[in-house]
Amino acid sequence: GVIGKVNNGSNINISDVDIEIGLFELDSNIGGVIGAITNSKLTINRVRTYDNSFSFMGKKNVGGVVGYIYDTTADIRDCNFEHTTSQSNDNILIGATESCCGGIIGNLSASTVDLKECYVYCPIGGTKTSSGYQGQHIGGLIGEQGGKFYTTITDCYVAGKVVGDKNVGGMIGYLGQTMTTFK
């Protein structure tokens, strides 16, 4: 989206972003705002989809806001991904064919994150096949979350299809060795 990779001690502040973009068939670390961020500090406030036109697709670590977060302190607030769907138009808009796909964050590891007032209303998941959907660690907000750190999720909402074939959750697809608080 805006930044491919942020690394080693950066301090990033992003506000008021409208997304109208399509990122298709990429490999990994795909995000509407940042593909990957490591060992840094991140503040994101007010991300919106512009005219309900967006799509992010790849193999792994795909998120509406950030694809991959590692060893980072992040404050992500007021992000809204909305797309009107119907039975005839329910294609996955944020998707990973292999693993770690989330409406806000694809893969969150060893980081302290505060998510507040983030709303996801669009289909999220793996690729549709003749026998169902493929893809694992798929979540409405976070695909995979691990590491011995803390995440707080406050006033967040997911209303849309979340699909895959393993470890699929309305909020978090896979949670391991971490403390998570829902408010």
Side-chain angles (χ1 to χ4, degrees):
V2 178
I3 301 171
K5 184 174 183 179
V6 176
N7 201 8
N8 295 331
S10 297
N11 188 354
I12 304 296
N13 293 295
I14 298 173
S15 291
D16 298 314
V17 175
D18 290 327
I19 295 175
E20 180 181 10
I21 191 168
L23 300 170
F24 298 96
E25 299 179 23
L26 300 172
D27 189 49
S28 62
N29 302 336
I30 301 150
V33 179
I34 296 175
I37 184 166
T38 61
N39 190 30
S40 297
K41 184 175 180 185
L42 173 66
T43 302
I44 294 179
N45 191 24
R46 288 185 305 276
V47 173
R48 300 279 188 264
T49 52
Y50 178 77
D51 196 26
N52 295 331
S53 178
F54 63 95
S55 185
F56 313 105
M57 301 298 287
K59 290 182 181 177
K60 61 184 178 178
N61 301 340
V62 180
V65 177
V66 182
Y68 178 67
I69 297 177
Y70 177 78
D71 191 24
T72 292
T73 300
D75 184 13
I76 300 173
R77 297 175 182 269
D78 194 18
C79 296
N80 186 351
F81 286 82
E82 184 174 348
H83 189 278
T84 304
T85 61
S86 67
Q87 285 185 325
S88 62
N89 181 18
D90 64 349
N91 295 328
I92 302 300
L93 296 179
I94 301 173
T97 57
E98 292 179 7
S99 65
C100 302
C101 176
I104 303 297
I105 301 168
N107 187 340
L108 172 59
S109 180
S111 298
T112 300
V113 174
D114 184 17
L115 287 180
K116 187 171 185 179
E117 297 173 355
C118 294
Y119 303 97
V120 179
Y121 185 67
C122 70
I124 299 165
T127 302
K128 189 173 185 176
T129 66
S130 60
S131 61
Y133 288 88
Q134 68 182 26
Q136 64 180 351
H137 309 316
I138 311 290
L141 293 176
I142 301 169
E144 179 177 334
Q145 179 180 336
K148 296 180 181 178
F149 289 82
Y150 302 96
T151 299
T152 303
I153 298 173
T154 307
D155 296 329
C156 293
Y157 183 80
V158 177
K161 178 168 66 172
V162 181
V163 295
D165 66 355
K166 185 176 179 183
N167 302 326
V168 178
M171 292 285 188
I172 300 172
Y174 178 82
L175 183 63
Q177 296 183 344
T178 189
M179 299 270 307
T180 302
T181 302
F182 291 90
K183 295 181 178 181

